[in-house]
Amino acid sequence: MLLDMTRTHVPVLAGELIDVTAPEAGDTVVDCTFGAGGHARLVADRLGPAGTLVCIDRDPAAEERFEQLAREAPCDTRFLQMDYADGLELLAEEGLEADMVLLDLGISSLQVDARDRGFSYSYDAPLDMRMDPSQELDARALVNTWDERRIAQLLHRYGEEPNARRIAREIAKRRSGRPFDTTGELVDAIEAAIPAAVRRSFGGGHPAKRSFQAIRIAVNAELDSLDRALPLAWELLRENGRLAAISFHSLEDRRVKRFLADRARGCICPPDFPVCACGREPEADLLTRRAVAPTPGEVAENPRSRSGRLRAARKLVSEEA
Ligand SMILES: C[S@@+](CC[C@H](N)C(=O)[O-])C[C@H]1O[C@@H](n2cnc3c(N)ncnc32)[C@H](O)[C@@H]1O
């Protein structure tokens, strides 16, 4: 068993992921979202000396965690600090073939709890929210320069925020006086924009939760990366290779679900065709008929796992077949 280095991020649906994808000795696995290495560590334990584990994360802080895992892992290991879509492209160019690709989407508890990175509405910090601190666009630039309509749209689309227009209007009003610098100022504007009665109806949820999620998704272009990565990950898999993704909101889960369902579908002829004319064969076998959710026990122990949903599929046909 490897050293436990995941005290600050508990991997979500970890047992289910291992059960569903069944990594074996000698496999080549790509963990696209290394984070604190919780899932990677469990996978590495199963790969043995003949296995290879490639870990990707665009956050340089993840690399320190990786160094620790690399010293302990029984298998070959490698780290790529880049967007996972770029990483998958690079691995394909190098001719790597994978037995498993894992995506555990969103941000880690390490990132949320790093007070100075601006991911959390709970701490007053510079408005940043970049997973990769070398990236140009940060939350401060977005909030201060995107036009009001674009901000309203992103809050609505990525946060499903019912008060998107009110919040965008309040942001535009305040920044015309003084630009936003901190998460505290943004929280203040959001709270001021949402009428008290509506705020009360949020129950225990923080009024800035949806907006922070939306801004984070936009700053890090999270859905673009996912859209690019899914086909690249699929291409990288050998026959019988498994693609697994853990999503944390419906925008991600919908993409993963559609992508896997498309590959698992055979004939796509209109239903009134007497015989199949398309000749299309399924490329995937769904390993999860429905999304796998955490058990009540896991949610009680790790409330952040609540919205986690695991989907996975096995590749049936290789490109050459
Ligand atoms: C939920 S955490 C992963 C936690 C990890 N599975 C564990 O058990 O510790 C997601 C990680 O993926 C990284 N990430 C998110 N989107 C990324 C992208 N497009 N490219 C590379 N890394 C990304 C984040 O920086 C974060 O560290």
Side-chain angles (χ1 to χ4, degrees):
M1 191 66 183
L2 300 175
L3 196 73
D4 180 13
M5 6 174 269
T6 58
R7 267 173 304 151
T8 47
H9 177 91
V10 183
V12 172
L13 289 162
E16 290 85 346
L17 173 82
I18 297 294
D19 285 350
V20 164
T21 56
E24 288 179 358
D27 276 357
T28 296
V29 175
V30 182
D31 179 353
C32 291
T33 48
F34 179 78
H39 290 117
R41 183 170 56 92
L42 290 172
V43 171
D45 274 346
R46 282 158 179 80
L47 301 187
T52 301
L53 177 62
V54 183
C55 302
I56 308 176
D57 204 297
R58 71 200 332 195
D59 188 339
E63 194 160 5
E64 287 166 35
R65 294 255 155 181
F66 168 79
E67 296 301 341
Q68 213 174 331
L69 175 132
R71 284 195 293 276
E72 304 284 333
C75 55
D76 262 2
T77 55
R78 176 178 175 195
F79 187 82
L80 300 173
Q81 195 239 309
M82 55 177 72
D83 187 292
Y84 53 61
D86 295 334
L88 291 165
E89 224 164 53
L90 177 79
L91 294 170
E93 278 164 25
E94 291 177 3
L96 182 114
E97 292 188 333
D99 298 291
M100 175 177 159
V101 179
L102 161 67
L103 293 139
D104 176 23
L105 301 164
I107 47 174
S108 70
S109 300
L110 295 174
Q111 292 165 320
V112 184
D113 296 336
R115 290 174 178 250
D116 56 337
R117 298 195 60 180
F119 285 111
S120 171
Y121 44 76
S122 305
Y123 314 119
D124 193 18
L127 257 182
D128 190 326
M129 301 197 199
R130 290 169 300 176
M131 293 181 193
D132 175 359
S134 72
Q135 174 188 302
E136 206 169 314
L137 179 70
D138 62 7
R140 187 178 181 282
L142 186 155
V143 166
N144 287 318
T145 64
W146 285 23
D147 79 41
E148 181 183 327
R149 232 184 52 187
R150 197 168 170 206
I151 292 180
Q153 272 170 0
L154 88 86
L155 298 179
H156 172 68
R157 279 199 199 136
Y158 298 162
E160 291 167 356
E161 170 55 70
N163 299 290
R165 282 164 116 181
R166 281 200 182 102
I167 294 170
R169 200 175 313 134
E170 186 66 25
I171 288 174
K173 191 178 94 189
R174 290 192 179 201
R175 74 187 183 191
S176 67
R178 196 170 80 86
F180 284 85
D181 278 322
T182 66
T183 50
E185 290 163 5
L186 182 60
V187 169
D188 206 50
I190 295 167
E191 285 177 340
I194 305 178
V198 177
R199 240 186 296 149
R200 278 195 293 278
S201 72
F202 271 93
H206 194 288
K209 186 175 173 186
R210 292 163 188 264
S211 299
F212 268 60
Q213 172 187 295
I215 294 170
R216 190 204 84 211
I217 291 174
V219 164
N220 295 287
E222 291 178 34
L223 299 174
D224 294 346
S225 288
L226 181 59
D227 287 339
R228 273 182 66 211
L230 288 169
L232 291 164
W234 192 253
E235 276 301 300
L236 208 63
L237 290 176
R238 310 190 155 99
E239 238 171 86
N240 285 320
R242 286 86 63 204
L243 173 59
I246 301 173
S247 313
F248 288 87
H249 52 79
S250 57
L251 295 167
E252 292 168 344
D253 186 50
R254 215 176 295 143
R255 282 167 159 80
V256 174
K257 180 179 173 183
R258 278 203 199 128
F259 180 85
L260 297 181
D262 273 357
R263 265 129 207 99
R265 191 174 308 131
C267 171
I268 50 166
C269 292
D272 57 342
F273 272 32
V275 287
C276 170
C278 73
R280 189 175 134 144
E281 298 284 340
E283 285 175 62
D285 175 24
L286 295 182
L287 298 171
T288 50
R289 290 276 141 204
R290 289 161 186 271
V292 179
T295 60
E298 178 171 0
V299 175
E301 266 179 38
N302 178 17
R304 284 180 179 166
S305 70
R306 185 185 310 278
S307 47
R309 297 291 179 272
L310 165 69
R311 294 184 189 271
R314 185 171 65 88
K315 190 168 185 172
L316 292 175
V317 197
S318 71
E319 208 183 320
E320 299 76 26

